[in-house]
């Protein structure tokens, strides 16, 4: 079965869904129409395909497209799913309600927000808007100034957003995550109160408010809940493991009457707790909906079996999970490779050399990726790639709408949608010569009293030095009055803005111009301005950071693991897998540790044909000290025989470092209890040879890597990696 193609029968308007294209679990998920359903979709197991077929199947069974709600985490993914469903069935799929949680919230709040006191033309704030308001409020409340060690606007927005996404009280969050700010709790609570009042009074919502207010509609307004819940008889949610508590509550409230809800996700790929994602949403779903049926998708259509065997073993020791075993019919017997470099430079040289070898075998650069836990882990590699002339992209660039020049232009368009958006007025007024913050505020207060602020601008009593600027700005809004086409409005704004743009950004405006040209193309693709203004905040395009400028040159990918989720490549390198670096030294035990394990699982499951794991034996610490380290504990736990070691020349390393598979603890073994009897060592004997099993009071069980060298011994511990011990001090015992 080809997992990326569809088969239909009949013409485009009478096509029927061919269920033979699905495997048995996929077919069961697609055809189970009523009740709650949890689909545990392993990596590469066709979850998107399952959702696409289910949309088409529901329509074929007579469910009205307007009654189906498909919730995803990017607008692009929902659009692609509905397009593919349309290819599978017919054009009725276009009428299915599909989008992100925030996008659907925006749509519903514009229709039902009046229940909460909001008009339909509210403005959505992006991150920098929220920080700007925070700075304004800090000043007005006397919380700014050199005499106060008060949190920055960035930290304040993080705190307030954290209370929403983690569903935690403000004071509890500060005590847990920002204890050093505890003395400012009262002021932060007061600031939060004024921030909420400002947003309500000015008809604006930030990103988090969209979810908060959607939940409020469902939770606090019975009429709104009944009307919204009645709109959707069948609900589907993609990537459910990435939902936060508010999103899970929204799903529960939407489906509280019919419970026709299918959520799809993989507990083993829950890696976004820093954004507020709650791993336990997917674990507790069967308790929220007691009659839930669980279906597991375990057949993988991406990777070879040796890669899957290793990824299965990575997640084997997870403390909580839905047990599953990925398998595949894809041919291939090439095991993953493990390389230990002397230091980070040797690790980078190894990766660069292997990339050259893969290219010589015919792999294209864009089918190769190097993944790492944090962006700074790739610096040495970037230097080596540049020296070798290898083109690459480093993923995780800034969003298109985060740049100042784009935000300038967006401000004019936002005012066309919501003339009472004081934040946007402040931005466009400050472009004018001789107009500072105080004057801008006075002008904003004056025009806010008018029925049409844009047209009222010409009536403001201007000073002689800045009258010409105000006159020109007022003429712009007069020219735009009555116009609705986004492309035409953009041209009006650009004609006004261009001379200001070249003056404000005189040092690099030609470079910035390319982004504005790109935005003009984006705007022209919209039929109404409100949709553009909303979506550019909710799901902004991303600017890709490249190592060089250039045209369509083929490039390989460097990416953090978090940014790689959902993607795949023929060859994947996962680097920096050293103890103390992966997992992060700050992870600790418990849920943070388990999320780090899942992060490695996500990285390894991106590979289709080749998987390389590497780590340096020496790393530089934060205080610029060199430290000898072993491999990640997650690698130490792996059963023997799942990978091959390579030396610095890329050849097989035959140095024994693991026992055979049967000597490793089986699934469920408690590492704190030794199942074999420990025998004390006679330090004068020659018993401590490579392959001997030992135990240590702190490091636990392990295996001797090389024969005893004098009074030193090197041991590969299952939990703590490679350690060199001095026998005069280490309390080592041999396991019988």
């Amino acid at each position: 079965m080809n997992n990326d193609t569809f088969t239909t029968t009949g013409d485009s308007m009478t096509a029927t869904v061919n269920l033979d294209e699905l495997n048995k679990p996929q077919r069961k998920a697609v055809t189970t129409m009523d009740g709650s359903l949890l689909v545990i979709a392993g990596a590469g197991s066709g979850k998107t395909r399952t959702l696409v077929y289910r949309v088409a199947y529901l329509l074929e069974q007579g469910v009205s497209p307007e009654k189906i709600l498909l919730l995803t985490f990017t607008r692009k993914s929902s659009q692609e799913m509905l397009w593919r469903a349309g290819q599978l069935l017919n054009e009725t799929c276009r009428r299915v309600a599909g989008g992100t949680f925030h996008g659907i919230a925006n749509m519903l709040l514009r229709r039902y927000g009046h229940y909460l006191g909001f008009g339909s033309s509210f403005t959505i704030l992006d991150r920098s808007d929220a920080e700007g308001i925070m700075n304004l409020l800090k000043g007005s409340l006397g919380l700014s100034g050199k005499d106060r060690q008060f949190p920055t606007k960035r930290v304040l927005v993080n705190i307030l957003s954290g209370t929403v996404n983690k569903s935690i009280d403000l004071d509890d969050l500060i005590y847990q995550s920002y204890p050093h700010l505890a003395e400012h709790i009262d002021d932060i609570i007061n600031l939060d109160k004024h921030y909420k009042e400002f947003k309500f009074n000015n008809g604006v919502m930030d990103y988090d408010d969209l979810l908060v207010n959607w939940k409020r509609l469902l939770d606090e307004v019975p009429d709104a809940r009944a009307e919204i819940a009645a709109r959707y008889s069948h609900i589907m949610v993609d990537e459910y493991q990435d939902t936060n508590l508010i999103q899970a509550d929204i799903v529960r409230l939407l489906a509280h009457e019919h419970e026709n809800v299918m959520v799809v996700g993989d507990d083993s790929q829950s890696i976004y707790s820093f954004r507020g994602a709650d791993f336990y949403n997917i674990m507790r779903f069967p308790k929220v909906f007691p009659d839930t049926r669980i279906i597991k998708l375990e057949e993988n259509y991406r990777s070879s079996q040796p890669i899957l065997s290793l990824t299965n073993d990575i997640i084997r020791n997870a403390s909580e999970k839905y047990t599953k075993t990925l398998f595949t019919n894809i041919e291939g017997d090439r095991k993953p490779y493990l390389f230990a470099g002397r230091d980070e430079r040797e690790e980078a040289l190894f990766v660069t050399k292997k990339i050259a070898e893969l290219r010589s075998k015919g792999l294209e650069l864009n089918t190769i990726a190097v993944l790492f836990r944090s962006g700074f882990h790739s610096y040495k590699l970037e230097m080596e790639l540049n020296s070798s002339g290898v083109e690459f992209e480093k993923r995780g660039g800034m969003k298109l709408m985060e740049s100042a020049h784009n935000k300038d232009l967006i401000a004019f368009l936002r005012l066309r949608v919501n003339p009472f958006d004081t934040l946007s007025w402040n931005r466009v007024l400050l472009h004018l010569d001789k107009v500072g913050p105080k004057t801008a505020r006075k002008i904003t207060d004056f025009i806010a009293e008018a029925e049409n602020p844009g047209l009222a601008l010409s009536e403001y009593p201007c000073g002689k030095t800045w009258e010409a600027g105000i006159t020109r700005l007022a003429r712009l809004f007069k020219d735009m009055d009555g116009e609705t086409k986004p492309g035409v409005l953009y041209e009006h704004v650009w004609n006004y803005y261009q001379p200001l743009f070249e003056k404000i950004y005189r040092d690099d405006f030609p470079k910035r111009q390319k982004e504005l040209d790109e935005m003009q193309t984006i705007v022209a693709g919209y039929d109404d301005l409100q949709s553009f203004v909303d979506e550019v905040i909710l799901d902004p395009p991303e600017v890709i950071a490249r190592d060089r400028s250039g045209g369509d040159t083929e490039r390989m990918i460097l990416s953090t693991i978090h940014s790689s989720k959902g993607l795949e490549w023929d060859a994947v390198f996962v680097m920096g897998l050293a103890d103390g670096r992966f997992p992060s030294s700050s992870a600790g035990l418990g849920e943070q540790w388990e999320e780090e394990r899942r992060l490695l699982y996500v990285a390894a499951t991106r590979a289709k044909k080749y998987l390389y794991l590497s780590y340096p034996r020496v790393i530089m610490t934060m205080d610029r000290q060199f430290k000898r380290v072993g491999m990640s504990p997650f690698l130490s736990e792996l059963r023997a025989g799942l990978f091959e070691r390579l030396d610095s020349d890329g050849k097989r390393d035959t140095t024994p470092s693991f026992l055979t598979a049967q000597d490793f603890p089986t699934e469920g073994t408690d590492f704190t209890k030794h199942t074999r009897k420990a025998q004390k060592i006679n330090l004068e004997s020659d018993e401590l040879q490579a392959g001997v099993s030992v135990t240590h009071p702190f490091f636990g069980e392990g295996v001797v890597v090389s024969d005893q060298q004098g009074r030193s011994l090197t041991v590969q511990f299952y939990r703590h990696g490679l350690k060199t011990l001095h026998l005069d001090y280490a309390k080592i015992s041999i396991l019988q």
Side-chain angles (χ1 to χ4, degrees):
M1 181 180 72
N2 185 333
N3 204 50
D4 296 316
T5 60
F6 302 105
T7 300
T8 60
T9 59
D11 60 39
S12 62
M13 296 307 294
T14 60
T16 57
V17 181
N18 183 2
L19 297 179
D20 292 337
E21 291 290 304
L22 304 171
N23 62 38
K24 188 175 179 179
Q26 289 174 337
R27 188 159 55 248
K28 185 177 180 181
V30 166
T31 57
T32 303
M33 291 184 58
D34 300 322
S36 53
L37 192 62
L38 171 60
V39 179
I40 301 299
S45 63
K47 73 174 180 63
T48 299
R49 180 184 184 82
T50 302
L51 284 165
V52 168
Y53 267 78
R54 182 174 170 84
V55 169
Y57 184 80
L58 289 174
L59 292 171
E60 188 181 52
Q61 298 304 306
V63 178
S64 171
E66 292 82 5
K67 287 282 189 178
I68 300 173
L69 176 62
L70 173 62
L71 291 167
T72 62
F73 274 84
T74 67
R75 186 167 60 94
K76 180 181 178 182
S77 62
S78 64
Q79 289 177 332
E80 181 181 346
M81 285 185 204
L82 295 181
W83 179 84
R84 288 168 65 175
Q87 295 294 107
L88 188 63
L89 192 64
N90 56 49
E91 294 182 356
T92 60
C93 296
R94 295 181 182 177
R95 289 155 44 202
V96 170
T100 65
F101 276 90
H102 293 85
I104 298 297
N106 174 56
M107 181 267 289
L108 292 173
L109 287 169
R110 294 199 184 279
R111 179 171 297 186
Y112 301 103
H114 60 88
Y115 284 109
L116 302 177
F118 286 94
S120 61
S121 61
F122 62 83
T123 298
I124 303 172
L125 304 174
D126 66 9
R127 173 64 185 235
S128 62
D129 293 332
E131 291 182 359
I133 295 172
M134 203 61 66
N135 243 8
L136 182 68
L137 294 175
K138 280 177 63 178
S140 64
L141 294 173
L143 300 175
S144 300
K146 297 179 180 179
D147 58 327
R148 296 187 63 99
Q149 297 299 313
F150 200 67
T152 64
K153 60 183 181 181
R154 179 184 60 82
V155 172
L156 288 167
V157 171
N158 284 343
I159 291 172
L160 300 188
S161 181
T163 64
V164 173
N165 287 294
K166 297 181 180 180
S167 295
I168 186 174
D169 290 337
L170 182 54
D171 51 352
D172 288 339
L173 178 69
I174 292 174
Y175 281 122
Q176 289 180 19
S177 303
Y178 303 87
H180 59 293
L181 301 178
E183 63 178 295
H184 300 299
I185 281 183
D186 291 340
D187 285 334
I188 296 174
I189 291 174
N190 187 41
L191 186 63
D192 181 38
K193 174 188 172 185
H194 281 82
Y195 179 54
K196 290 174 180 174
E197 290 175 352
F198 179 95
K199 290 184 291 183
F200 184 80
N201 293 336
N202 288 274
V204 298
M205 294 188 201
D206 62 25
Y207 202 58
D208 298 321
D209 291 329
L210 294 170
L211 296 184
V212 170
N213 289 325
W214 185 7
K215 183 188 172 185
R216 284 183 59 202
L217 276 175
L218 297 172
D219 211 14
E220 301 172 12
V221 187
D223 289 344
R225 178 174 65 246
E227 196 169 340
I228 294 172
R231 289 171 65 99
Y232 308 115
S233 64
H234 289 78
I235 300 165
M236 287 170 280
V237 186
D238 189 21
E239 303 284 13
Y240 192 71
Q241 78 280 348
D242 294 336
T243 55
N244 61 26
L245 284 171
I246 290 184
Q247 290 164 329
D249 283 341
I250 287 170
V251 172
R252 173 181 58 82
L253 290 164
L254 281 172
H256 78 286
E257 290 190 4
H258 53 70
E259 295 195 356
N260 294 333
V261 55
M262 182 177 88
V263 300
V264 182
D266 184 3
D267 53 297
S268 300
Q269 296 187 69
S270 179
I271 59 173
Y272 294 117
S273 65
F274 65 94
R275 296 180 185 170
D278 191 328
F279 167 76
Y280 292 100
N281 280 347
I282 196 168
M283 304 305 293
R284 69 168 69 95
F285 185 84
K287 295 181 180 179
V288 175
F289 295 94
D291 296 325
T292 293
R293 282 161 285 189
I294 300 176
I295 297 174
K296 297 178 183 178
L297 306 184
E298 298 174 289
E299 183 172 359
N300 178 282
Y301 298 95
R302 175 188 299 156
S303 307
S304 63
Q305 189 58 52
I307 292 175
L308 295 181
S309 296
L310 183 138
T311 59
N312 286 334
D313 214 53
I314 289 172
I315 212 68
R316 172 176 58 91
N317 289 310
S319 60
E320 291 187 71
K321 61 183 181 295
Y322 288 103
T323 302
K324 55 186 175 295
T325 302
L326 298 183
F327 67 93
T328 186
N329 290 318
I330 297 174
E331 295 183 2
D333 57 3
R334 188 182 296 106
K335 290 183 181 180
Y337 301 103
L338 175 66
F339 173 73
R342 286 190 303 272
D343 51 26
E344 292 175 87
R345 184 171 185 274
E346 187 177 57
E347 181 186 23
L349 285 168
F350 169 80
V351 173
T352 304
K353 181 178 179 180
K354 279 298 171 186
I355 290 170
E357 288 183 14
L358 291 171
R359 293 180 72 186
S360 69
K361 293 178 181 180
L363 265 68
E364 296 181 354
L365 267 182
N366 56 14
T367 66
I368 303 171
V370 182
L371 308 180
F372 31 82
R373 194 194 176 285
S374 300
F376 68 88
H377 292 168
S378 69
Y379 290 164
K380 288 281 195 304
L381 176 62
E382 291 174 50
M383 294 171 63
E384 293 300 332
L385 293 175
N386 277 319
S387 297
S388 302
V390 179
E391 299 280 351
F392 63 86
E393 292 179 2
K394 188 171 182 179
R395 292 287 171 87
M398 68 183 295
K399 299 295 185 181
L400 188 65
M401 299 311 161
E402 291 175 356
S403 53
H405 49 283
N406 280 319
K407 288 184 65 63
D408 288 346
L409 236 153
I410 293 292
F412 293 99
L413 300 177
R414 281 170 50 160
L415 286 171
R416 184 66 185 85
V417 172
N418 178 10
F420 300 95
D421 182 350
T422 55
L423 206 64
S424 293
W425 273 119
N426 190 65
R427 190 175 191 97
V428 302
L429 288 169
L430 289 176
H431 291 157
L432 306 179
D433 284 338
K434 309 299 181 183
V435 174
K438 289 184 179 179
T439 302
R441 192 176 305 169
K442 289 179 181 178
I443 298 172
T444 301
D445 291 342
F446 174 83
I447 62 178
E449 302 296 326
E451 186 175 339
N452 188 327
L455 299 181
L457 188 63
S458 59
E459 300 173 9
Y460 188 78
C462 303
K464 290 183 179 180
T465 56
W466 43 276
E467 181 177 9
I470 291 290
T471 300
R472 186 166 176 265
L473 180 60
R475 189 181 304 120
L476 167 66
F477 285 99
K478 184 177 181 180
D479 292 342
M480 290 196 298
D481 194 43
E483 181 59 65
T484 59
K485 293 181 180 178
V488 176
L489 289 168
Y490 186 94
E491 289 179 12
H492 281 300
V493 171
W494 174 244
N495 290 335
Y496 167 85
Y497 180 65
Q498 184 174 16
L500 296 173
F501 165 70
E502 294 180 1
K503 180 179 179 182
I504 297 169
Y505 305 106
R506 58 182 177 272
D507 292 336
D508 63 350
F509 75 83
K511 179 181 178 182
R512 294 173 183 259
Q513 177 68 54
K514 294 178 182 179
E515 286 188 19
L516 292 176
D517 292 341
E518 184 176 348
M519 187 167 75
Q520 183 175 16
T521 303
I522 295 171
V523 174
Y526 283 81
D527 294 325
D528 69 283
L529 191 60
Q530 180 76 69
S531 296
F532 167 74
V533 170
D534 288 348
E535 291 176 7
V536 85
I537 299 298
L538 296 175
D539 195 16
E542 187 174 275
V543 178
I544 301 298
R546 294 188 170 126
D547 68 322
R548 302 173 177 84
S549 60
D552 298 325
T553 306
E554 182 187 327
R555 292 175 171 85
M556 62 168 290
I557 301 300
L558 305 185
S559 176
T560 61
I561 300 170
H562 285 100
S563 295
S564 74
K565 188 169 173 289
L567 303 176
E568 60 184 43
W569 295 272
D570 285 344
V572 170
F573 294 80
V574 188
M575 62 186 302
L577 296 173
D579 188 12
R581 178 167 286 184
F582 202 132
S584 167
S585 57
S586 62
L589 298 176
E591 179 50 31
Q592 282 185 307
W593 180 277
E594 291 303 315
E595 181 160 324
E596 295 276 311
R597 182 197 307 280
R598 298 193 292 268
L599 195 62
L600 177 57
Y601 175 84
V602 167
T605 53
R606 302 308 96 199
K608 297 165 71 174
K609 300 177 181 178
Y610 300 87
L611 175 61
Y612 295 87
L613 309 170
S614 66
Y615 69 96
R617 289 193 175 99
V618 174
I619 61 173
M620 182 179 286
T621 61
M622 296 296 289
D623 57 357
R624 302 189 67 78
Q625 299 296 313
F626 289 101
K627 178 184 178 182
R628 184 174 176 82
V629 293
M631 67 171 70
S632 165
F634 302 139
L635 295 182
S636 303
E637 293 175 349
L638 294 176
R639 301 175 193 268
L642 293 176
F643 57 82
E644 292 183 2
R645 280 182 173 272
L646 298 179
D647 61 22
S648 57
D649 293 324
K651 298 177 181 178
R652 182 179 298 179
D653 187 347
T654 57
T655 302
S657 59
F658 289 97
L659 297 177
T660 58
Q662 59 266 32
D663 292 321
F664 270 69
T666 58
E667 184 170 2
T669 298
D670 184 350
F671 284 93
T672 64
K673 298 176 182 178
H674 300 301
T675 57
R676 290 172 286 176
K677 185 178 179 182
Q679 176 186 7
K680 289 190 177 181
I681 295 173
N682 177 358
L683 298 181
E684 305 304 323
S685 74
D686 58 356
E687 294 179 87
L688 290 175
Q689 299 176 353
V692 171
S693 295
V694 297
T695 183
H696 183 275
F698 178 77
F699 297 123
E701 292 184 17
V703 59
V704 178
V705 170
S706 56
D707 294 349
Q708 182 178 339
Q709 301 292 323
R711 313 300 287 172
S712 294
L713 187 70
T714 302
V715 179
Q716 181 73 50
F717 290 100
Y718 301 143
R719 287 280 189 185
H720 294 273
L722 202 65
K723 304 292 181 184
T724 299
L725 306 175
H726 196 287
L727 293 178
D728 288 335
Y729 305 102
K731 298 179 180 179
I732 289 286
S733 299
I734 294 176
L735 288 173
Q736 296 295 308

